[in-house]
Amino acid sequence: MSLLEVKGVVKRFGGLVAVNDVSFSIDEGERIGLIGPNGAGKTTMFNLISGYYKPDKGRIIFDGRDITGRRPYEITKLGVGRTFQIVKPLSNLTVLDNVAIGALLRHPDVNEARKRAEEVLKLTGLYEKRNMRAGSLNLPEKKRLELSRALATEPKLLLLDEVVAGLNPSEVDELLKLLREINESGVTILMVEHVMRAVMNISERIIVMDYGVKIAEGTPQEIASDPRVIEAYLGREEL
Amino acid sequence: MLQFIKEGLSGKNGQYFAIVTAVMLVAPLIFWKLDLPFAANAMLLCLMFSIMAMAWNLLEGYTGQLSFGHAVFFGVGAYTTMILMLYYGVTPWIGIFVGGLVAALVGLALGVPLFRLRSHWFALATIAVGEIFKLIFISWDYVGGSAGLQSPIVPEEQKLYYLQYAGSYVYIYLALGLLGLELLVMYPLVKSRIGYYLQAIREDEDAAMSLGINPFKYKMVAMFFSALFTGIGGGIYTVRFRFVDPFAVFDLISVSVYITIAGILGGIYSFVGPIVGSFVFVPISEYVRVYIVSRFPRFYGLHVFVLGVILLAISLLAPEGIMGWLEKKGYLKKREESGEVGEK
């Protein structure tokens, strides 16, 4: 059964069509990559799924429920966790409190939420920095904080917006290993990523967008050899 | 609930709390014995502003919503207490709390439009709302119009029922009790899930929403308690001065801005900061108003000038307020153990 269904979604900003009639569906437990050149509409797609934008047309079904036009916090409660490409740490709070606030969604007791947050931080490798002010972390750490916070809300579907960007190769491998573990524990993952090595490595299936339109969908091998995808990234060969 | 209070009073904090409480309880007796009405009145005003600045800070320090319109809640609380007493013979022992509740309901009603605005637009709108309330009360005959309302002196046997005593001494204990009540409500509130959610909203509303927080709902919760205790502050004003008029209780500078300065001076990131700020700022302002301005009447308005000087000093010397400054100098435990707290 599909966990997320996006059906003919359209989003316009003034005259610009950022997402144009895009449809896809994701099954429970999958790892899906969403790729495309800059301005393809990937982050807009994320904002549509997580409720930050309302689609002009089309429907979004999550876990059997129509979530089209629902508010972001309602969608989080239903089980969609997300990270932000432009990180949004709760800067003046500690790393632990950032994650504990996420955990409070399912564990209203503060002490219980803090315990949950510590477990999440041990998993994501930020435990040593738990008492630091979130604003003082470096960028890769802030990205991991985004991931930790989203995980703490105990999502069924995790939307990751460029969490790998800015990491060095060994950190990338470490994070990919972590994402596999998270996926194996039952969390479906949809990730937007520019680092091709990472997205090809981890995705079971890849969706490609260009100029707001879905241009291809398939396994990493299929995508890598798809002429439309190559054209989108490298341009048409001039004769 | 109790668990938070127990934690809060453990160790050094508990000792400080006990000492401060003891001093507060003894001070009015000393003022009374030595016949120091000015000091007693200043202390009462300190407590009244402590109650209100702490309530204001639930919105500003915790939730990030800067209000310059708390005179609305102060005025509504003061008028409600007065009207209940004057027109319906209701004792202020009940009226003060009804006043707080009415102020809280006004807060919720105002929150619906106001919380559609973000950051400085919210702050500007609160100024406008304060002025609108002043104008409404000026032209409203039922509440005495621009002349305001005054409660008559009652015979000896009704003093307790109408809470009418000479001087400030008795009212200090009333204000202390109400401040204690506020601490009992606010401390568990900010240490619970609600307090964390408010801070998340202050830091980043989009991030807060991604964590399942409905910003509007929790801003309304903060507004309710903030307006409630500010309204109770208004009730104290009514019983102490037996006179309310729209120019005094809805005043932008001497109510709304005073509350704001007391809060910022003490430190908005500290739970007790607004109390500390009130106890520093109000005596200075009172001293200037009563002694200096009265001696040099040509310099009327000097106490407002003093506000400017104090604001300048905070922004230069202690941008995070007195409590933030004490933290940085190492006299108080830092909010984070790592010591990596930067300037905001």
Side-chain angles (χ1 to χ4, degrees):
Chain A
M1 185 200 129
S2 60
L3 183 67
L4 178 74
E5 265 182 276
V6 175
K7 294 181 184 170
V9 165
V10 177
K11 179 68 192 174
R12 294 189 193 88
F13 295 111
L16 178 83
V17 187
V19 170
N20 193 357
D21 197 19
V22 171
S23 302
F24 59 86
S25 84
I26 297 175
D27 288 341
E28 224 172 316
E30 276 194 294
R31 293 189 302 271
I32 309 291
L34 178 59
I35 66 169
N38 285 325
K42 306 172 303 268
T43 296
T44 306
M45 195 66 241
F46 264 28
N47 283 334
L48 287 165
I49 298 170
S50 55
Y52 285 81
Y53 295 154
K54 286 192 173 113
D56 295 316
K57 239 195 231 167
R59 307 232 68 86
I60 299 167
I61 316 288
F62 174 73
D63 209 8
R65 250 174 265 186
D66 190 339
I67 58 166
T68 321
R70 294 261 206 128
R71 305 286 292 146
Y73 45 85
E74 295 172 325
I75 293 173
T76 307
K77 274 178 202 159
L78 292 175
V80 180
R82 73 162 292 176
T83 69
F84 292 93
Q85 183 193 355
I86 298 161
V87 290
K88 295 180 186 294
L90 309 173
S91 297
N92 282 307
L93 303 180
T94 62
V95 169
L96 181 66
D97 283 350
N98 266 262
V99 182
I101 288 170
L104 279 168
L105 182 63
R106 316 276 180 214
H107 308 275
D109 181 75
V110 171
N111 288 328
E112 184 63 32
R114 285 173 152 262
K115 255 180 240 151
R116 277 287 306 152
E118 285 182 2
E119 287 166 26
V120 172
L121 287 171
K122 278 177 192 161
L123 190 72
T124 57
L126 277 177
Y127 185 71
E128 301 303 318
K129 313 237 163 177
R130 66 189 180 284
N131 290 323
M132 270 175 76
R133 195 176 152 271
S136 63
L137 296 176
N138 63 32
L139 188 62
E141 286 166 347
K142 280 180 183 158
K143 296 221 161 186
R144 250 187 298 165
L145 178 62
E146 290 273 329
L147 172 64
S148 316
R149 220 166 49 181
L151 271 180
T153 66
E154 296 174 21
K156 292 179 197 149
L157 172 66
L158 194 50
L159 306 175
L160 302 175
D161 202 347
E162 295 198 22
V163 282
V164 176
L167 301 184
N168 68 39
S170 75
E171 287 170 333
V172 171
D173 290 338
E174 216 175 286
L175 189 61
L176 292 181
K177 197 171 141 252
L178 173 63
L179 292 180
R180 272 176 205 281
E181 277 172 37
I182 292 166
N183 177 244
E184 272 153 26
S185 75
V187 180
T188 309
I189 293 179
L190 174 62
M191 61 190 301
V192 163
E193 200 49 78
H194 272 305
V195 182
M196 281 304 142
R197 190 173 73 86
V199 79
M200 289 293 171
N201 174 304
I202 196 169
S203 306
E204 298 167 320
R205 196 149 61 83
I206 290 178
I207 296 163
V208 190
M209 286 178 72
D210 191 25
Y211 290 111
V213 181
K214 185 175 94 173
I215 59 167
E217 185 175 346
T219 63
Q221 292 77 17
E222 287 165 6
I223 292 301
S225 55
D226 190 312
R228 284 165 303 176
V229 177
I230 296 168
E231 186 189 313
Y233 271 93
L234 299 176
R236 189 190 296 269
E237 197 175 343
E238 295 291 334
L239 289 173
Chain B
M1 290 285 265
L2 275 174
Q3 165 217 343
F4 288 122
I5 294 166
K6 238 186 230 166
E7 278 172 21
L9 290 180
S10 63
K12 265 226 158 95
N13 280 348
Q15 290 171 19
Y16 288 142
F17 184 78
I19 294 167
V20 171
T21 309
V23 171
M24 295 266 190
L25 288 172
V26 175
L29 288 176
I30 297 171
F31 296 150
W32 179 64
K33 266 275 174 236
L34 301 178
D35 192 28
L36 296 168
F38 173 78
N41 197 50
M43 181 172 175
L44 173 65
L45 291 177
C46 287
L47 289 167
M48 199 175 86
F49 275 97
S50 294
I51 291 172
M52 298 195 288
M54 180 170 248
W56 167 87
N57 198 42
L58 188 69
L59 269 180
E60 158 63 7
Y62 283 89
T63 322
Q65 309 297 309
L66 176 57
S67 161
F68 286 114
H70 265 49
V72 169
F73 312 127
F74 176 75
V76 167
Y79 267 104
T80 305
T81 310
M82 178 61 95
I83 287 167
L84 286 174
M85 186 162 63
L86 209 57
Y87 295 174
Y88 303 99
V90 177
T91 169
W93 289 107
I94 294 168
I96 288 175
F97 295 101
V98 178
L101 221 58
V102 173
L105 294 177
V106 168
L108 292 183
L110 291 175
V112 174
L114 286 177
F115 287 138
R116 300 178 74 90
L117 307 167
R118 282 200 190 186
S119 70
H120 47 284
W121 302 111
F122 174 84
L124 283 176
T126 58
I127 297 179
V129 168
E131 294 305 295
I132 289 168
F133 266 73
K134 188 197 284 179
L135 292 174
I136 291 173
F137 276 70
I138 286 172
S139 50
W140 189 4
D141 289 336
Y142 176 73
V143 299
S146 59
L149 295 171
Q150 185 162 20
S151 65
I153 302 220
V154 296
E156 192 64 40
E157 66 271 18
Q158 291 184 347
K159 295 267 185 216
L160 182 64
Y161 183 83
Y162 284 110
L163 242 170
Q164 211 174 81
Y165 297 93
S168 300
Y169 307 104
V170 175
Y171 301 112
I172 290 176
Y173 289 105
L174 173 73
L176 272 174
L178 291 171
L179 179 59
L181 175 72
E182 183 179 24
L183 291 171
L184 279 178
V185 173
M186 290 286 191
Y187 193 73
L189 187 74
V190 301
K191 291 293 170 190
S192 72
R193 162 151 113 156
I194 294 173
Y196 279 89
Y197 277 11
L198 297 180
Q199 293 180 70
I201 292 165
R202 176 192 73 203
E203 294 294 319
D204 193 311
E205 276 189 38
D206 282 338
M209 284 198 283
S210 82
L211 301 176
I213 301 166
N214 176 347
F216 177 72
K217 177 178 151 190
Y218 285 94
K219 284 178 190 173
M220 289 293 262
V221 171
M223 177 61 105
F224 179 86
F225 287 102
S226 189
L228 175 73
F229 282 102
T230 309
I232 285 175
I236 298 173
Y237 177 88
T238 295
V239 292
R240 166 65 183 91
F241 297 103
R242 296 192 298 107
F243 178 60
V244 287
D245 77 276
F247 300 100
V249 297
F250 290 115
D251 192 62
L252 175 65
I253 299 295
S254 65
V255 183
S256 291
V257 174
Y258 267 43
I259 293 173
T260 306
I261 292 180
I264 294 174
L265 176 64
I268 58 167
Y269 293 125
S270 156
F271 179 68
V272 295
I275 299 180
V276 175
S278 299
F279 271 84
V280 173
F281 169 65
V282 174
I284 296 174
S285 153
E286 273 300 286
Y287 180 82
V288 174
R289 189 178 65 83
V290 172
Y291 287 104
I292 300 184
V293 174
S294 64
R295 223 163 285 169
F296 307 99
R298 281 186 59 200
F299 295 101
Y300 182 77
L302 193 65
H303 57 294
V304 182
F305 174 76
V306 170
L307 292 183
V309 174
I310 290 177
L311 270 181
L312 204 63
I314 310 171
S315 57
L316 285 175
L317 303 173
E320 285 206 6
I322 296 169
M323 295 306 275
W325 182 79
L326 288 174
E327 268 181 20
K328 214 162 75 187
K329 293 281 165 189
Y331 297 118
L332 284 173
K333 201 178 129 242
K334 295 221 177 195
R335 271 172 287 143
E336 289 85 10
E337 291 152 46
S338 67
E340 304 239 2
V341 187
E343 295 278 318
K344 199 187 155 72

